[in-house]
């Protein structure tokens, strides 16, 4: 006779339970890279946020997981989210009973902590038809063909010309063992856009936590100067370029185009099947760039349970109330921006 379902919280440093959690995530079709147990250690250690990584278990077998983190900010509000700093999240479960039990526990925690809202960043369809949804974001995912030349020919003609231009410019791509070159390019890039940078230690923590499943690829010019860099994640048969940065000279040399082609080419050689170009806001430059690669946008079903607010929070650069902050941020010296940025970005999630 089977026993009742039990909901438990994953202890961050219990390596045995973490291993069982990750085995479940790897096998569960609904799960993503952002359901991995390591995110709890990264978010708690780098940003100091309280995490609630919940799992549903019966007879010693995990049937579902729900990673959550709580952000309390005077500026941006009090939330419980699955998952901050991630583009995907929500419940990943083998059955409706486990999913419902995990979400009931999440709501109990959110109410108990006095959160203003609960947010699920679903990759798949929305689970709650009556909850408010955010349709600001889309994701771009496409199959990697088994043949390198077929992948090149699948890129629309104008974009393919940019990739070939990068090759003709003598660009080179190499893997980095640390985040030094990546961070310099990333921090300069986000400053130009008027947004605060994540702390350097966050990116190093990702490499340390996820090992071979997190990787930095940097493109250099013929003179060896770093031009463009990307920190990618690997999950099952997918590659996810996730954080990126570039020098102002990168566009003229087609270094960004070359970078993503090189990542795709290497993924093809490894036998991977999906290139996940990640989330973009509709109507932005990155959205257009990804469409130009022949990727079709897929809407993301981010859904919200509102407790102490009347509408979905808009903590993103599209919000008019942040425009003055963005303009001011662009004028900061890079050293000041990199020092101040982590205090702000830790609460954006």
């Amino acid at each position: 006779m089977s026993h009742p379902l039990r909901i438990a919280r994953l202890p961050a440093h219990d390596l045995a339970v973490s291993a069982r959690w990750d085995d479940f995530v790897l096998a569960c079709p609904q799960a993503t890279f952002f359901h991995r147990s390591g995110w709890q250690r990264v978010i708690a250690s780098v940003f100091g946020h309280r995490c609630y990584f919940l799992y549903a278990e019966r007879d010693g077998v995990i049937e579902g997981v729900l990673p959550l983190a709580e952000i309390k900010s005077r500026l941006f509000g009090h939330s419980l989210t699955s998952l901050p700093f991630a583009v995907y999240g929500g419940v990943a479960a083998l059955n409706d009973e486990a999913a419902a039990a995990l979400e009931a526990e999440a709501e109990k925690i959110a109410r108990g902590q006095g959160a203003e809202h609960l947010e699920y960043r679903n990759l798949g369809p929305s689970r709650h038809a009556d909850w408010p949804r955010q349709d600001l974001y889309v994701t771009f995912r496409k199959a990697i063909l088994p043949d390198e030349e077929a992948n090149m020919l699948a890129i629309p003609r104008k974009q393919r010309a940019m990739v070939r231009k990068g090759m003709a410019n003598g660009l080179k791509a190499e893997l980095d063992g640390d985040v030094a070159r990546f961070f310099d390019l990333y921090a300069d890039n986000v400053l130009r856009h008027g947004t605060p940078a994540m702390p350097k230690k966050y990116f190093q923590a990702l490499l340390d936590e996820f090992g071979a499943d997190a990787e930095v690829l940097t493109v250099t010019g013929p003179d060896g100067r770093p031009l463009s860099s990307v920190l990618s994640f690997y999950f099952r048969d997918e590659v996810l370029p996730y954080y990126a940065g570039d020098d102002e000279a990168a566009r003229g040399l087609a270094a960004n185009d070359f970078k993503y082609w090189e990542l795709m080419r290497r993924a093809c050689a490894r036998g991977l099947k999906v290139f996940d170009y990640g989330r973009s806001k509709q109507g932005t430059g990155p959205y257009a760039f990804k469409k130009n690669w022949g990727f079709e946008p897929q809407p993301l079903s981010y859904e919200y349970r509102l407790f102490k607010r009347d509408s979905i929070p808009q903590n993103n650069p599209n919000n008019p109330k942040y425009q003055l902050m963005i303009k001011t941020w662009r004028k900061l010296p890079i050293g000041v921006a990199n020092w101040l940025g982590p205090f702000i970005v830790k609460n954006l999630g």
Side-chain angles (χ1 to χ4, degrees):
M1 190 181 84
S2 69
H3 293 92
L5 200 64
R6 180 178 82 99
I7 303 298
R9 186 172 160 191
L10 174 68
H13 297 288
D14 188 326
L15 298 183
V17 183
S18 292
R20 289 176 52 223
W21 173 296
D22 287 329
D23 286 344
F24 172 84
V25 166
L26 206 57
C28 178
Q30 294 173 355
T32 70
F33 183 81
F34 305 99
H35 287 85
R36 289 187 55 170
S37 68
W39 285 100
Q40 174 167 219
R41 290 181 286 274
V42 171
I43 291 171
S45 65
V46 175
F47 301 109
H49 297 316
R50 181 176 291 177
C51 294
Y52 302 87
F53 274 46
L54 308 175
Y55 64 97
E57 180 181 58
R58 193 190 325 258
D59 298 328
V61 177
I62 294 177
E63 296 186 12
V65 300
L66 176 55
L68 294 151
E70 180 184 11
I71 294 182
K72 293 170 84 165
S73 162
R74 273 183 290 199
L75 190 57
F76 302 113
H78 183 183
S79 62
L80 188 66
T81 302
S82 182
L83 189 68
F85 312 105
V87 294
Y88 310 138
V91 73
L94 301 181
N95 53 65
D96 288 339
E97 185 191 355
L102 287 163
E103 291 190 344
E105 182 66 15
E107 182 160 335
K108 184 177 160 190
I109 291 168
R111 288 183 182 278
Q113 293 298 109
E116 294 163 1
H117 70 273
L118 174 63
E119 175 186 357
Y120 295 138
R121 298 180 179 177
N122 306 311
L123 171 59
S126 169
R127 285 181 43 80
H128 305 276
D130 56 335
W131 286 18
R133 288 211 296 276
Q134 171 85 282
D135 60 0
L136 178 67
Y137 297 107
V138 298
T139 192
F140 293 85
R141 290 161 59 83
K142 191 179 177 189
I144 299 172
L145 303 172
D147 176 68
E148 182 180 313
E149 189 57 25
N151 285 299
M152 177 66 87
L153 294 174
I155 303 170
R157 187 175 54 82
K158 279 187 177 176
Q159 197 64 44
R160 193 162 67 238
M162 292 299 289
V163 173
R164 297 203 189 279
K165 178 183 173 183
M167 292 173 170
N169 284 331
L171 304 182
K172 289 190 176 65
E174 52 203 9
L175 300 181
D176 289 359
D178 59 34
V179 297
R181 297 198 298 180
F182 162 82
F183 182 77
D184 288 346
L185 291 165
Y186 157 83
D188 183 57
N189 195 197
V190 294
L191 180 61
R192 294 200 305 270
H193 286 95
T195 54
M198 296 282 205
K200 188 175 185 178
K201 66 179 180 179
Y202 167 64
F203 299 109
Q204 191 58 51
L206 292 173
L207 294 196
D208 294 343
E209 177 62 48
F210 295 115
D213 294 332
E215 178 185 88
V216 172
L217 181 82
T218 300
V219 170
T220 57
D223 58 356
R225 176 185 170 190
L227 294 168
S228 188
S229 189
V230 59
L231 195 161
S232 302
F233 299 133
Y234 292 91
F235 181 68
R236 294 196 282 242
D237 57 359
E238 305 178 8
V239 60
L240 301 83
Y242 199 64
Y243 291 108
D246 59 44
D247 187 85
E248 285 190 276
R251 178 175 278 191
L253 293 166
N256 293 329
D257 311 88
F258 177 78
K259 172 180 70 182
Y260 289 116
W261 162 248
E262 187 64 17
L263 186 65
M264 187 180 287
R265 186 188 71 76
R266 289 169 182 237
C268 170
R270 283 173 61 162
L272 302 184
K273 302 284 194 299
V274 176
F275 194 93
D276 186 329
Y277 233 146
R279 181 181 86 175
S280 289
K281 288 185 282 290
Q282 299 196 48
T284 61
Y287 176 98
F289 181 80
K290 292 167 188 178
K291 276 212 78 169
N292 289 345
W293 274 74
F295 284 62
E296 280 306 313
Q298 296 169 228
L300 285 170
S301 301
Y302 287 8
E303 53 187 1
Y304 298 76
R305 181 83 164 95
L306 305 179
F307 302 120
K308 297 183 178 179
R309 55 186 318 138
D310 300 322
S311 60
I312 292 172
Q314 297 297 330
N315 295 333
N316 65 77
N318 285 12
N319 189 333
K321 81 174 188 179
Y322 297 132
Q323 287 311 304
L324 180 61
M325 187 191 284
I326 289 168
K327 284 178 184 150
T328 307
W329 197 269
R330 283 185 179 132
K331 296 173 183 165
L332 291 177
I334 187 79
V336 174
N338 286 353
W339 173 78
L340 196 54
F343 295 104
I344 297 170
V345 82
K346 70 176 265 189
N347 293 318
L348 280 168

